Amino acid sequence: RTTLRKAFLGPWNPMVDQIWLYALADAQRNTGVAVHLSTRMPNHHHTIVTPSDDNLPEFVRRLHRDVSCAIHKLLCEERYDAPGQLWDDRNPHYLRLMDEAAQMSHLGYAHLNAVAAGRVERPGHLPGVALDFHRWKGGAVEVAKPPLYFGKRRPKTLRLELSPPPLLYRAFEGDVQRLIH
């Protein structure tokens, strides 16, 4: 969660979405973690991934550092009081989903979190780019580098690839359309 549960990840500036997507794509590019779904709430996120090795902590570190630094810079440029750190002092919560039922349940929970919280009537009404299971059909997200924080060495655009969790993909015998339905 964000510091003091402030809405730093909310739609207060269009660049917040671009920062989130670029940081997520860059963390994926640098670690090889497969991203399945990401729901960004105003003060926290639900991101479901599959690490390819012992790379989950590095993925989360990169994602949280880049989002924190870029949002801090954006807050300063917009003349808002920026916190010393974006994230509160608690460690990220990791949950290992051991079977298809657990994966399906958690995907539903993350996808419907904004509805359950009373923020929107339908998941599609959540502001910003939806990073949900509908993108498993090959809908990679092309993300332009935000004009602040990320520097000259990083690519001008990145592709954020979303894929179904391996256990669910196997359970539906590779039929992504049926899995999404």
Side-chain angles (χ1 to χ4, degrees):
R1 292 200 184 271
T2 57
T3 300
L4 302 174
R5 295 190 177 199
K6 295 216 175 206
F8 296 125
L9 301 176
W12 60 273
N13 185 301
M15 204 176 307
V16 172
D17 203 38
Q18 188 179 6
I19 288 168
W20 177 258
L21 295 171
Y22 191 86
L24 194 58
D26 198 49
Q28 180 183 56
R29 175 180 72 97
N30 281 289
T31 63
V33 166
V35 178
H36 308 305
L37 178 139
S38 186
T39 301
R40 194 181 77 236
M41 300 293 283
N43 64 0
H44 69 284
H45 67 95
H46 296 272
T47 301
I48 300 173
V49 301
T50 298
S52 56
D53 198 8
D54 190 19
N55 52 1
L56 183 58
E58 178 63 12
F59 172 83
V60 173
R61 184 191 70 77
R62 283 177 173 274
L63 173 63
H64 283 183
R65 182 199 64 219
D66 281 350
V67 169
S68 182
C69 291
I71 296 285
H72 180 85
K73 185 139 177 96
L74 180 60
L75 286 164
C76 289
E77 285 191 6
E78 295 290 327
R79 298 180 175 255
Y80 289 111
D81 289 334
Q85 61 185 36
L86 182 76
W87 307 105
D88 68 14
D89 290 332
R90 294 181 289 175
N91 289 326
H93 175 73
Y94 299 117
L95 181 63
R96 186 170 183 187
L97 305 172
M98 301 297 287
D99 59 22
E100 298 90 350
Q103 287 184 353
M104 190 67 81
S105 174
H106 199 68
L107 283 167
Y109 170 79
H111 181 65
L112 296 171
N113 192 257
V115 175
R119 300 204 32 84
V120 292
E121 286 186 31
R122 302 179 65 107
H125 295 166
L126 197 62
V129 175
L131 294 179
D132 61 15
F133 39 81
H134 294 91
R135 298 244 180 212
W136 295 345
K137 293 186 277 187
V141 181
E142 293 283 337
V143 189
K145 181 171 55 176
L148 51 80
Y149 173 72
F150 290 96
K152 296 178 181 178
R153 292 185 176 212
R154 299 204 206 184
K156 290 182 180 178
T157 60
L158 289 173
R159 286 178 57 89
L160 175 60
E161 302 281 345
L162 276 78
S163 60
L167 291 177
L168 289 176
Y169 185 77
R170 186 172 51 220
F172 283 81
E173 299 172 344
D175 188 343
V176 176
Q177 186 63 38
R178 201 175 87 195
L179 172 57
I180 292 169
H181 179 74

